[in-house]
Amino acid sequence: MMEKALTLSGVITPVSVFLTSDPLSKVASCMVEEEQIAVPVISPSGKYAGILSFVEIISSRLHPHTKLKSLIVKVPPLSADCTLDDAIKTLLKTGVPAVACVSSDRKPLGIITPYTILDYAFNGDSKVLSREVMLKLLAPLFTDDPVDKARKFMAKRTVEYLPVLSKKKVEGVIGIWDIIALMYTIPFKKSKRGEIGGELESLLSSPIGKYPLHKLPLEKADSQISLREIRNGVIVVSRDETWPIGIITPITFFKKFIAALEEERLPVIIEGMDRLTVFERSLIMKKATEIAKRVNKRGRLLELSLVIKAREKPGVKLLYESTASIKLDRGVHSGHSINWDPVTSAHTALKEAYYSFTKFKARRREVKISRARSRKK
């Protein structure tokens, strides 16, 4: 596991850099060959101008000669001395799948993506439930669906892969690089109205099953998936090993597991996580947010606080002491725990505080029922 304060200088993913005057076809060929989800783009003077990801490339049917200047997203870059936490916050705030890292003179050094976060911020052996981090698929693709349907879904949901079904089973997955290769690595003709037609239109309207699909094993929704498996590509989640209900990729993991925590507006305050890894902090924050949501549905939550203290002794493993407190408009409920594992310590303290709250609500309910019965008599 890596610490949250790890600087970007040691974790940057080096990628090819392109000029704003370069044609889209040049970038497309490189992204397909290197399987990159984004690239930094520079001005004629060599300074960072913006980022170009697969989302911009497949969102519209563009001419291969389109200049990058009109496509880039001007996301503020990060410096090499920024931390992984800074990168995570930027990715969440902007919604883009990659952020550029630049030198002091604003020359791109590389990019940070959800793949980078999985590589350096987490322990690859740690596991999560499939259903908690998957992107739900309400209407899966079939082999006779047009390629254009996959393109639109990938662009809208920012996902790198999608499973494809025949009438009997999952045949495999189609990836963004397959779509980009079809759209921009062969010559096309331009119509009088400036639209792309002819061969491109024919390719996008052709059935997905016409092209080679990537074969993958299926996982059940209650399976424990290691983060290393997620980092290595794509996982299709199925209900009965035949019908896909979701898909897990590094980007969907990032959006589901981390972004959901940041988006919560509940009064949750956690102290003492400075020494913990990003993964440990995420697990603790997830549990605290989950309990805060439950409490808020049943009462007026003013604040849920959690304080984690590390006890240090020479030559002895760190011991973590956690104290949780649920403050309502009427009463306070607390929990306390000590454990060698910070996540276990925090979770136990939170559960104790929540148990105290549920007992309080149960007693209040019994009193109300008793009073109602007395009035009827």
Side-chain angles (χ1 to χ4, degrees):
M1 285 191 182
M2 292 290 181
E3 296 295 331
K4 68 166 188 173
L6 183 67
T7 57
L8 301 184
S9 57
V11 302
I12 301 168
T13 302
V15 292
S16 300
V17 178
F18 296 88
L19 288 164
T20 51
S21 57
D22 282 334
L24 178 56
S25 57
K26 183 178 179 180
V27 180
S29 298
C30 179
M31 289 180 72
V32 170
E33 184 179 343
E34 299 178 2
E35 291 196 349
Q36 291 292 346
I37 63 172
V39 293
V41 180
I42 58 175
S43 64
S45 62
K47 302 293 179 67
Y48 170 79
I51 201 93
L52 181 67
S53 75
F54 72 88
V55 178
E56 291 76 50
I57 293 177
I58 67 173
S59 290
S60 303
R61 302 181 184 187
L62 303 166
H63 194 283
H65 294 158
T66 303
K67 303 301 181 185
L68 303 188
K69 184 178 180 180
S70 62
L71 302 175
I72 58 174
V73 179
K74 296 181 180 180
V75 179
L78 298 174
S79 61
D81 57 356
C82 288
T83 65
L84 271 180
D85 258 14
D86 297 324
I88 289 172
K89 290 175 182 177
T90 301
L91 288 170
L92 292 174
K93 184 178 180 180
T94 60
V96 296
V99 60
C101 184
V102 299
S103 60
S104 56
D105 56 355
R106 291 184 65 82
K107 292 185 177 180
L109 301 173
I111 59 174
I112 302 295
T113 70
Y115 291 78
T116 315
I117 306 300
L118 275 166
D119 278 336
Y120 295 98
F122 298 122
N123 181 343
D125 295 324
S126 300
K127 295 186 176 182
V128 292
L129 273 177
S130 297
R131 63 171 176 267
E132 291 184 350
V133 295
M134 72 178 185
L135 171 66
K136 293 181 180 178
L137 300 174
L138 301 179
L141 294 172
F142 289 90
T143 51
D144 55 356
D145 282 332
V147 173
D148 203 40
K149 185 175 181 180
R151 174 189 72 83
K152 291 177 180 178
F153 189 92
M154 288 175 169
K156 183 178 180 180
R157 301 301 297 272
T158 315
V159 61
E160 312 99 291
Y161 297 93
L162 286 175
V164 181
L165 283 75
S166 62
K167 293 182 179 179
K168 297 181 180 180
K169 62 176 182 177
V170 176
E171 295 294 338
V173 297
I174 185 170
I176 52 167
W177 299 285
D178 303 317
I179 304 290
I180 293 173
L182 283 174
M183 292 181 70
Y184 300 116
T185 58
I186 56 177
F188 302 107
K189 293 181 180 180
K190 197 170 185 179
S191 69
K192 293 180 180 179
R193 295 182 179 180
E195 299 171 347
I196 306 304
E199 201 168 353
L200 175 59
E201 186 67 35
S202 175
L203 287 171
L204 291 178
S205 61
S206 60
I208 298 172
K210 179 181 177 181
Y211 305 98
L213 299 174
H214 309 279
K215 302 294 183 180
L216 291 171
L218 304 181
E219 295 287 348
K220 293 184 178 179
D222 56 355
S223 297
Q224 291 278 345
I225 306 295
S226 74
L227 301 190
R228 185 172 288 106
E229 291 177 88
I230 296 174
R231 170 59 183 89
N232 289 339
V234 55
I235 296 169
V236 179
V237 183
S238 68
R239 182 185 297 111
D240 53 7
E241 298 187 354
T242 57
W243 189 267
I245 59 173
I247 191 163
I248 304 171
T249 72
I251 290 180
T252 63
F253 168 80
F254 183 82
K255 291 169 68 176
K256 295 285 287 186
F257 192 77
I258 300 177
L261 302 179
E262 298 291 333
E263 291 172 358
E264 293 294 344
R265 300 295 181 184
L266 296 169
V268 177
I269 299 174
I270 302 179
E271 299 177 7
M273 294 204 294
D274 294 342
R275 295 188 176 189
L276 307 186
T277 64
V278 173
F279 186 64
E280 289 169 334
R281 291 187 299 115
S282 296
L283 289 175
I284 292 171
M285 187 63 187
K286 189 174 188 296
K287 175 60 71 173
T289 303
E290 177 186 308
I291 289 177
K293 288 170 72 174
R294 291 180 187 175
V295 172
N296 205 40
K297 284 182 179 179
R298 302 178 61 186
R300 186 183 174 190
L301 177 64
L302 300 181
E303 180 183 285
L304 185 151
S305 62
L306 175 66
V307 178
I308 304 170
K309 294 181 179 179
R311 294 182 176 179
E312 288 186 88
K313 289 184 179 180
V316 180
K317 186 179 178 181
L318 280 177
L319 192 64
Y320 293 91
E321 179 180 4
S322 300
T323 303
S325 178
I326 297 174
K327 296 180 182 178
L328 305 170
D329 54 343
R330 291 185 179 182
V332 178
H333 305 276
S334 303
H336 182 263
S337 176
I338 299 176
N339 198 283
W340 300 111
D341 177 47
V343 176
T344 302
S345 175
H347 282 197
T348 303
L350 288 166
K351 288 177 182 177
E352 285 187 4
Y354 182 66
Y355 179 68
S356 172
F357 165 76
T358 55
K359 284 182 66 177
F360 167 74
K361 295 297 288 185
R363 288 196 300 269
R364 289 286 300 274
R365 185 172 181 274
E366 289 175 1
V367 170
K368 287 181 179 179
I369 292 174
S370 178
R371 288 176 179 174
R373 287 174 178 171
S374 297
R375 284 195 293 269
K376 287 183 179 180
K377 292 179 181 179

